[in-house]
Each structure stands twice: as structure tokens, then as C-alpha cells.
Amino acid sequence: MNFDFSDDQKLLQEQVRRFLQERCDSSVVRTVLDGKAAYAESVWQGLAEMGLMGTGIPESYGGAGAGHLELCLVARELGAALAPTPFGSTVYLVAEALQLFGSEAQKARLLPEIAAGRCKGALAVVETREQTTPESIATRYAGGKLEGRKLIVPDGGLADVLVVLARDDAGLGMYLVDAGAGGVERENVPSIDPTRNTAAITFTGAAAEPLGKPGAGWEQLDALYDRAAVLVAFEQLGGAERALEMGVAYAKERFAFGRPIGSFQAIKHMLADMYVTAKLAESNCYYAAWALASGAPELPLASATARVAATQAFQQCSKDNIQVHGGMGFTWEFDCHLYYRRSNFLALELGGLSVWEDRLVNGLQSAAA
């Protein structure tokens, strides 16, 4: 397969890159990191004005109707810039869930609001510190109300609407909840990356409406994760590439013993390893993008492959970037730690690396059967 993005798609990517270079430099990221803002509202509004929230939303619901290939490239640039916004939770998860499982009324009500940037969303699943399984979900839906507690909800403190995995008489189901309504109590919790909001959410008689088929919640979550993992992988790829760029630039300009440190074998080997892992992630992400955009049956395997490769690439590149910078890499003033923080945050989103390694192994076994 010889896959690449079109010139028009690359032009969109370049426009997003220029916007983020102008409006989302490290000072904006640090404003959120320091707790002076909950998220970068000006960046969020700028993304909305460019129509990027609606990239994958059909025009009939107020979106751009561009498609998932374009959304992958948007994600790549957001990852490179470490954009401190709830874009992923809103677009990759809630908007996708609505398009996959929502009724016509639910789509008509919420997708235009998401596309316009007037509605932020979050997916609430995790209830235990252990690996999430169907048996670990105790939040209960009955009589149109939710009761329970979600421990870790990325962007949960910012969301206007929540997609909640809960148990009912038919099994597990997905439910839509107005995050600002009665019966919803939110508490921000600390994480390794304060530039991404994380909250614990308690539901006490919160009004909810079913999203999709009763009893099919776990299967819906699997399908949603297969799609969202591709987009998160592109964010991770963008972060890995930027960390590599930072390391290369520093190795060229930092001198020791009268020579640039990039001329030393240890540094050259480290940068080469970073480059190889980033390129491996890129090839797997490209294949997953094709599978997502074309609706190919290989999507579960392709998304798991991209997720594993991109997670490993971002973590290695962000970690080794600190090493290339030496003692300066560990300081607050340098931006290396910003990428290391985000790499670890994204590694746990949608389930940790071991979860996706298991999905990859299962996919390979199924393909070989």
C-alpha cells in the first residue's frame, strides 16, 4: 500500500500548524499548567472559528463534512502544540459516539453545537484504579436517572455534555447527561499533566437518556475506542515529532569541549532511536487513518497497532529529549517536561498501553486464524 495525504489535506494541516504557532505557544500551555486558566479558551474559540470541531461532522449537522483523514492531520498538529483544550474528548469521543449511536434527535440537538464550539464533551467510564472491565462498572441507570461515581474523567470538569457508561437491567449501556444539570457533582483531581483537565464525577439521581442500544454499551465502547484510538495516536505522533525536533535543534546548538553535542556518538544514537520510533509510529498511524476513513474491516487491528506504536514513540521521544538536553532538560524553564507530561497522560487515555497490546495480540491472532 502506498498511502499519503492529498495536497489539499496537507494544506489544511499547514493552516492549523500556523494558527497554533501564532496562538498556542508554550506560554499559553504554561498558563494552564500554572492553574491560571482551566483551558486555553482563546485557542478553543480559534479552532471553532476555523471549523475544526466540525471536521468529521456531516454538513447536515453543521459540520465541515471533510472526513477522518483531515481530522487525523488536525490531531497531529494539536499534539505537536500540546494544545490545552478539550478537543479530543469532545471531537474524538463524544461527537463520534453521537454519530455512531445517536438518534436523529440527539444528533440534531448536539452535533451542531459541537461543530460550532459551543458544546464541550467528555466520556465517563473509569470507576476503579484497576483495569476497566464490564464487571467493574457499577454506575446504575434506572427510571431515567443515574447513580454512581466515575473516578477519572478526562476533561470532565470542562464538559457541557457527558457520555456515561452505566449498568441497567439489560446490561451495560451508554447514556447522555447534561453536565450542568442537577444530580451531577464534579471535582477536579490532579494528574501528571495539569494542562488537561481531569475530574471525578458523582451522579445522584442525574437525568440521563440512552445513547444507542440497551445492553450494548461495552460493544459500543469497543467500537468507539477503535476509532478514537487512531486520532489519539496522531496526537501522540505529533508530540513525538516535536520532541524529536527539540532534541535535534538543541544537539546542534549546544557545544561541549568545542563541539556541538550532536557530534558525540551517544547523542547521535539516541536521536537516531527517537527518529526510528517516530517513523514507525507514523507508518502505523497512516495505515490506521486509511482503515478509519475507508471503514475497512482491518480497523480494530490497525487502530491497536497505531495506538501501541504511537504511545511508545511519544514516551520514548519525550523522555530521551530530556536526556539530550542534559541537566537543563530537567528544569522547569525548559519545555521538555511539558511533552513528557502529555505523553504519560495520553498513554493512559482510552486504557493503558497493556490494554492496547492485548487488543493488538488478539487482533493478530484473529487475522491469522
Side-chain angles (χ1 to χ4, degrees):
M1 178 183 294
N2 183 18
F3 172 81
D4 196 5
F5 294 93
S6 70
D7 290 342
D8 286 344
Q9 289 163 344
K10 291 177 181 178
L11 178 60
L12 170 65
Q13 181 183 10
E14 180 60 31
Q15 291 173 335
V16 176
R17 180 181 300 145
R18 285 202 300 267
F19 166 78
L20 292 171
Q21 287 172 345
E22 295 172 1
R23 302 275 291 275
C24 190
D25 60 17
S26 63
S27 66
V28 174
V29 179
R30 286 176 178 273
T31 296
V32 181
L33 177 70
D34 293 338
K36 298 175 183 177
Y39 70 105
E41 187 173 358
S42 63
V43 177
W44 174 264
Q45 293 300 326
L47 295 172
E49 290 167 6
M50 294 175 69
L52 297 178
M53 276 76 156
T55 301
I57 296 176
E59 292 180 271
S60 56
Y61 297 110
H68 285 94
L69 292 181
E70 289 79 3
L71 190 54
C72 285
L73 293 178
V74 173
R76 192 174 188 170
E77 294 307 317
L78 291 172
L82 300 180
T85 71
F87 189 95
S89 296
T90 303
V91 177
Y92 313 160
L93 291 168
V94 174
E96 284 291 320
L98 284 164
Q99 292 184 76
L100 287 173
F101 316 120
S103 66
E104 185 59 36
Q106 290 168 336
K107 293 177 185 178
R109 184 175 82 245
L110 292 172
L111 287 178
E113 295 296 300
I114 290 174
R118 294 189 293 266
C119 178
K120 297 180 286 293
L123 176 68
V125 174
V126 177
E127 298 186 23
T128 173
R129 296 184 185 275
E130 305 300 324
Q131 181 173 317
T132 298
T133 64
E135 294 73 28
S136 69
I137 304 300
T139 297
R140 184 81 185 174
Y141 172 82
K145 306 290 184 181
L146 278 179
E147 298 280 347
R149 180 174 172 82
K150 299 295 183 179
L151 291 183
I152 302 170
V153 183
D155 298 315
L158 306 175
D160 302 301
V161 63
L162 300 166
V163 173
V164 183
L165 187 67
R167 189 171 300 281
D168 59 18
D169 292 338
L172 292 179
M174 281 186 172
Y175 298 91
L176 283 173
V177 178
D178 181 348
V184 180
E185 181 180 344
R186 297 185 279 184
E187 176 188 1
N188 288 335
V189 296
S191 77
I192 191 170
D193 185 5
T195 67
R196 284 288 304 275
N197 174 266
T198 307
I201 304 180
T202 303
F203 303 98
T204 52
E209 58 179 290
L211 179 67
K213 297 178 181 179
W218 192 256
E219 291 74 18
Q220 291 181 181
L221 184 68
D222 261 351
L224 179 61
Y225 275 5
D226 281 340
R227 301 168 75 83
V230 180
L231 299 164
V232 173
F234 268 90
E235 271 205 26
Q236 293 172 303
L237 173 61
E241 291 172 329
R242 184 59 58 83
L244 172 59
E245 290 172 5
M246 291 170 63
V248 170
Y250 189 78
K252 289 179 178 179
E253 67 183 25
R254 177 71 167 90
F255 276 67
F257 307 107
R259 298 164 55 191
I261 63 172
S263 65
F264 300 139
Q265 188 177 45
I267 299 296
K268 287 193 286 188
H269 283 191
M270 187 177 295
L271 291 171
D273 288 343
M274 293 165 68
Y275 176 83
V276 169
T277 191
K279 281 300 179 182
L280 177 62
E282 181 184 51
S283 64
N284 285 307
C285 284
Y286 275 32
Y287 177 57
W290 165 82
L292 175 60
S294 63
E298 300 97 327
L299 176 59
L301 177 57
S303 67
T305 305
R307 170 69 168 158
V308 170
T311 299
Q312 293 173 336
F314 196 9
Q315 290 196 301
Q316 179 177 340
C317 289
S318 63
K319 173 177 64 70
D320 286 352
N321 181 42
I322 294 174
Q323 299 299 322
V324 170
H325 280 74
M328 297 300 294
F330 289 87
T331 64
W332 186 264
E333 290 75 17
F334 273 59
D335 291 339
C336 303
H337 66 97
L338 301 177
Y339 286 84
Y340 184 70
R341 290 171 182 272
R342 183 63 62 86
S343 74
N344 284 281
F345 185 94
L346 291 180
L348 295 174
E349 200 166 17
L350 311 182
L353 179 59
S354 62
V355 172
W356 287 95
E357 287 174 334
D358 288 344
R359 290 169 79 113
L360 174 57
V361 170
N362 293 336
L364 289 170
Q365 289 174 339
S366 297

